[in-house]
Amino acid sequence: MGAREPDDGIRLTDDERLDWLRLIRSENVGPRTFRALVDHCGSAQAALSALPNLARRGGASGSARICSRAEAEREIKAARSLGVSFVALGETGYPSRLAMIDDAPPLIAVRGNLATLARPMVAVVGARNASAAGIKLAERLARDLGEAGLAVVSGLARGIDAAAHRASLKTGTIAVLAGGHDQIYPPENAGLAGAILAEGAALSEMPLGWEPRARDFPRRNRLISGLAVGIVVIEAALRSGSLITTRLALEQGREVFAVPGSPLDPRAEGSNGLLKQGATLVTEAEDVLAVLRPILGQALEQRFEEPGIAPPPPTMAEPGLDERSRIVELLGPTPVGIDDLVRLSGNPPAVVRTVLLELELAGRLQRHAGGLVSRA
Amino acid sequence: MGAREPDDGIRLTDDERLDWLRLIRSENVGPRTFRALVDHCGSAQAALSALPNLARRGGASGSARICSRAEAEREIKAARSLGVSFVALGETGYPSRLAMIDDAPPLIAVRGNLATLARPMVAVVGARNASAAGIKLAERLARDLGEAGLAVVSGLARGIDAAAHRASLKTGTIAVLAGGHDQIYPPENAGLAGAILAEGAALSEMPLGWEPRARDFPRRNRLISGLAVGIVVIEAALRSGSLITTRLALEQGREVFAVPGSPLDPRAEGSNGLLKQGATLVTEAEDVLAVLRPILGQALEQRFEEPGIAPPPPTMAEPGLDERSRIVELLGPTPVGIDDLVRLSGNPPAVVRTVLLELELAGRLQRHAGGLVSRA
């Protein structure tokens, strides 16, 4: 799974796809662990076999739950009946910008007009309790951005999100869900979600049946910004979800745009704050397009390249007890770089990576952006 | 009148002040011509004697009107009875930043607490038909900027200007008038103008009795920005007077700040436009202070230095007829640099300057910012 030639998207077999689904649905396996496991073991299948042993060595008290073959088969079958399919990271059809983020989901469940996922996208997000003016601006911007050829990504929330989707139904819009495809939230937007599928698509990394909890929204937000070239924020209050999405967008190197508002309007505090920090001021779609055009021009030249899932290391690094405890000692609540752990522990990188993987599977490690890790 | 030592402000004698007033009140003599005349002739008194001859050589049809000694004496007497005094460019008491602009008025008529004119100033300007929110913001910003030690400059207009003055009455505010001190415009703000004088000041370059006409406002606006370190724009529509002031402020190298507003509010179009062009976004006074503090820190180190009125040239350059007509030929409606005229006419700079001065006195030349000139 090294770097590939353009257009050389991999294509998983049904069995491979089943293994990928089982692995990502297993306990303590997130997108980064998935990647580390496949790096370490060589394939999802090999990783599934190695999981119990790795987790035990990492100090798991019980045995970490592995998604069974039957469970995964049931999910794939249920998905198919809903018109939901799974696209794997590295396959043609996986959105190219999303593939480049640190913690790209190994599998995305998608539904609707999947061609939309190949188009350049712009995210339009904002307050749920939007003002009439905010709604109008979201509609105007989403419509004009859509007519300019961009697919509009948003989170299907009340307020700005829904307005952005609605105004770009005809040109193609993408709803990123925080729960499963059969658990549309908020329920009042189920009709809108259905309408989106005609020209656009819905996307989720969560299992069918998953009812979104509060903590699933920030996690979902990284996909909204990850899919898009840039993100337009309308009416974001301080400490709002839109600002979280913006932070993620900045980490992902996405362009950030904000619509200004009166300093007396609390719904504009977040967006005005973004403008102070250097976001591009937007009053009309052209302000966004002027920034995105050169980037998209370039992007059209870029071809798909699978993000760095390295080939498995030649030898399996088996850390000894001392090495493991030294690395565990070095870990604290403050995120540190893996390079630092290598340097400070005096162990080879492969050993450090293996120990971290084991700890992660045992639920004792947390991974952060930028390759940092901390004790969970 | 060369560059002087710090604190070595000149102090005009009563006779000199009278000559300065006569010269600036004479026909076709603006601030730039005043300066050129004093450069050329050595003093205002000498310039007054030379005026008729220079104007005739410049091609004046009749004789340009020269302000008589009696007229000037009458103005000074009337001013004194109103508590208005004249401060000359280069004198201690002339606002130091204003002294540095291209077309600083040679004399300003001031009234009120003149110590305010020595303080660092910030201009707060905006729409006459301001919204309630705009008024509230102007008040809040002017109050907080005043409490931070800045004198607030504005134009005494309805709306934002009046709100800014009102909120900074206690800390000191400066009204720059487009007409004479006895011709307050709009009349409804006469009470406010009076209240300003207790702690702050009013300033005008126009004669007593001068009723402001439309074209006097842009002219006045250069003084508002010229006095200030920076200018804060609140609710400026497109093609508004505030935007003119902003353009002047940029030419003068002043900091420009703008308060954002909803893209749906026409009163925010100008300010949002300024933000797109790089103005600093302001939601609270601290946003202004953060930019001005380092500048003012530096400015407090700077001492007064008289702006470059050079000593008179050793010999009076007397252009011949051919030289004059060549330069006149070179002038058209498009502003050109004096350097270009020197180069293209093949005449020495002193000759070109003299011809331009003559043309100006004859009402046949217009001077522009950046030392450009065009045919009037």
Side-chain angles (χ1 to χ4, degrees):
Chain A
M1 295 216 293
R4 292 163 186 277
E5 286 303 300
D7 284 350
D8 181 14
I10 54 170
R11 168 88 193 147
L12 300 191
T13 63
D14 286 352
D15 273 351
E16 283 172 333
R17 196 175 312 274
L18 199 70
D19 289 336
W20 278 49
L21 188 60
R22 288 183 62 200
L23 187 55
I24 191 63
R25 296 288 187 249
S26 293
E27 201 177 350
N28 295 331
V29 178
R32 286 198 184 85
T33 325
F34 183 99
R35 197 179 279 222
L37 279 167
V38 171
D39 275 3
H40 187 73
C41 304
S43 71
Q45 189 185 22
L48 286 164
S49 316
L51 265 186
N53 209 25
L54 287 165
R56 201 176 49 246
R57 287 210 302 255
S61 45
S63 59
R65 210 190 56 78
I66 295 177
C67 172
S68 73
R69 198 178 165 85
E71 270 176 288
E73 277 171 344
R74 268 199 304 278
E75 184 174 352
I76 287 178
K77 193 175 161 198
R80 192 173 296 137
S81 74
L82 285 172
V84 172
S85 55
F86 292 95
V87 183
L89 179 64
E91 285 191 317
T92 308
Y94 193 99
S96 59
R97 271 167 214 279
L98 185 61
M100 292 173 198
I101 71 171
D102 236 22
D103 47 358
L107 280 176
I108 50 174
V110 293
R111 188 184 189 190
N113 175 1
L114 303 192
T116 312
L117 297 171
R119 288 171 51 196
M121 305 177 202
V122 62
V124 176
V125 301
R128 289 190 300 276
N129 66 337
S131 71
I135 297 282
K136 191 167 168 182
L137 281 163
E139 287 171 352
R140 186 186 289 180
L141 287 169
R143 182 197 64 205
D144 294 349
L145 291 168
E147 284 173 1
L150 291 159
V152 172
V153 188
S154 199
L156 201 65
R158 294 184 184 100
I160 299 295
D161 285 21
H165 285 305
R166 224 175 269 122
S168 55
L169 281 175
K170 283 187 202 149
T171 51
T173 181
I174 293 156
V176 185
L177 312 175
H181 277 279
D182 52 356
Q183 298 285 337
I184 298 298
Y185 183 86
E188 69 197 68
N189 283 346
L192 175 59
I196 283 172
L197 302 180
E199 204 47 59
L203 183 157
S204 169
E205 64 175 330
M206 303 309 279
L208 281 180
W210 188 274
E211 209 174 313
R213 305 149 305 170
R215 65 168 175 225
D216 293 325
F217 291 94
R219 180 187 168 141
R220 181 277 311 268
N221 290 351
R222 88 186 195 286
L223 304 183
I224 293 180
S225 53
L227 284 161
V229 197
I231 166 174
V232 182
V233 180
I234 306 173
E235 294 201 339
L238 293 177
R239 283 174 295 281
S240 62
S242 306
L243 291 197
I244 295 175
T245 313
T246 306
R247 187 171 52 70
L248 298 167
L250 288 170
E251 286 174 8
Q252 294 164 350
R254 303 302 189 249
E255 297 296 323
V256 174
F257 302 89
V259 174
S262 164
L264 297 181
D265 182 355
R267 280 178 289 220
E269 281 181 36
S271 351
N272 285 342
L274 291 174
L275 292 169
K276 287 187 192 176
Q277 290 161 53
T280 302
L281 189 140
V282 173
T283 60
E284 54 183 4
E286 182 52 35
D287 299 324
V288 178
L289 296 169
V291 172
L292 296 191
R293 261 188 217 106
I295 301 172
L296 290 174
Q298 212 178 32
L300 294 174
E301 306 294 306
Q302 281 176 359
R303 313 299 294 271
F304 180 78
E305 195 183 310
E306 197 198 343
I309 295 192
T315 59
M316 190 93 158
E318 285 302 341
L321 226 62
D322 282 2
E323 291 160 335
R324 185 173 293 114
S325 61
R326 176 83 190 106
I327 293 167
V328 170
E329 259 175 40
L330 288 171
L331 284 169
T334 308
V336 291
I338 295 177
D339 286 357
D340 290 329
L341 292 175
V342 168
R343 189 169 46 80
L344 294 171
S345 71
N347 288 318
V351 168
V352 173
R353 278 200 303 268
T354 305
V355 171
L356 294 179
L357 193 50
E358 292 167 359
L359 292 171
E360 193 167 11
L361 292 168
R364 295 171 61 195
L365 189 86
Q366 209 177 345
R367 292 196 191 254
H368 308 269
L372 302 184
V373 291
S374 69
R375 201 186 302 162
Chain B
M1 295 214 297
R4 290 163 187 276
E5 287 302 301
D7 284 349
D8 181 16
I10 54 169
R11 168 88 194 148
L12 300 192
T13 63
D14 287 351
D15 274 351
E16 282 170 334
R17 197 177 311 275
L18 198 69
D19 290 336
W20 278 48
L21 187 60
R22 288 184 61 199
L23 187 55
I24 190 64
R25 296 285 187 252
S26 293
E27 201 177 352
N28 295 332
V29 179
R32 286 198 184 84
T33 325
F34 183 98
R35 198 180 280 224
L37 279 167
V38 172
D39 276 2
H40 187 75
C41 305
S43 71
Q45 190 184 20
L48 286 165
S49 316
L51 264 184
N53 208 27
L54 288 165
R56 200 176 49 245
R57 286 210 303 257
S61 46
S63 59
R65 209 189 59 78
I66 295 178
C67 172
S68 71
R69 198 177 164 87
E71 269 177 287
E73 278 171 346
R74 267 199 305 278
E75 185 176 351
I76 287 178
K77 192 174 163 201
R80 194 173 294 138
S81 75
L82 284 172
V84 171
S85 55
F86 292 95
V87 183
L89 179 62
E91 285 191 316
T92 307
Y94 193 99
S96 59
R97 274 168 210 280
L98 185 62
M100 292 174 197
I101 72 171
D102 238 20
D103 47 358
L107 279 176
I108 49 173
V110 294
R111 186 184 190 192
N113 175 0
L114 305 191
T116 313
L117 297 169
R119 288 170 51 196
M121 305 176 201
V122 62
V124 177
V125 300
R128 288 190 299 276
N129 66 339
S131 71
I135 297 283
K136 192 167 168 182
L137 280 163
E139 287 172 350
R140 186 186 289 182
L141 287 170
R143 183 198 62 204
D144 294 350
L145 291 169
E147 284 174 0
L150 292 159
V152 172
V153 187
S154 197
L156 203 66
R158 294 186 184 98
I160 299 296
D161 285 21
H165 285 305
R166 223 174 271 121
S168 54
L169 281 176
K170 281 187 205 150
T171 52
T173 180
I174 293 156
V176 186
L177 311 174
H181 276 278
D182 52 356
Q183 298 285 335
I184 297 299
Y185 183 87
E188 70 196 67
N189 284 345
L192 176 58
I196 284 172
L197 302 180
E199 204 48 59
L203 183 156
S204 169
E205 64 175 328
M206 303 309 280
L208 280 180
W210 188 272
E211 209 173 316
R213 306 148 305 171
R215 65 169 174 225
D216 293 324
F217 291 94
R219 178 187 169 143
R220 182 275 313 267
N221 290 350
R222 87 186 196 288
L223 303 184
I224 293 180
S225 53
L227 284 162
V229 197
I231 167 175
V232 182
V233 181
I234 305 173
E235 292 200 340
L238 293 177
R239 283 175 295 281
S240 61
S242 306
L243 291 197
I244 295 177
T245 313
T246 306
R247 187 172 52 67
L248 298 166
L250 288 170
E251 286 174 9
Q252 294 165 349
R254 303 301 188 248
E255 297 296 322
V256 174
F257 302 88
V259 174
S262 165
L264 297 181
D265 182 355
R267 280 179 289 220
E269 281 180 39
S271 353
N272 286 342
L274 291 174
L275 292 170
K276 286 187 191 176
Q277 290 162 53
T280 301
L281 190 139
V282 173
T283 60
E284 54 183 5
E286 181 53 35
D287 299 324
V288 178
L289 296 170
V291 172
L292 296 191
R293 260 189 219 106
I295 301 172
L296 290 175
Q298 214 176 32
L300 294 175
E301 305 295 306
Q302 281 176 0
R303 312 301 293 270
F304 180 79
E305 195 182 310
E306 200 198 341
I309 297 193
T315 59
M316 191 94 161
E318 283 304 341
L321 226 61
D322 281 3
E323 290 162 337
R324 186 175 290 113
S325 62
R326 177 81 191 107
I327 293 168
V328 169
E329 258 176 39
L330 287 171
L331 284 170
T334 308
V336 292
I338 295 176
D339 285 357
D340 290 330
L341 292 175
V342 169
R343 190 169 46 79
L344 295 170
S345 70
N347 288 318
V351 168
V352 173
R353 275 199 305 268
T354 302
V355 171
L356 294 178
L357 193 51
E358 293 167 357
L359 293 172
E360 195 168 9
L361 291 168
R364 295 170 64 196
L365 189 85
Q366 209 177 346
R367 295 197 188 252
H368 306 269
L372 302 184
V373 291
S374 70
R375 199 187 305 161

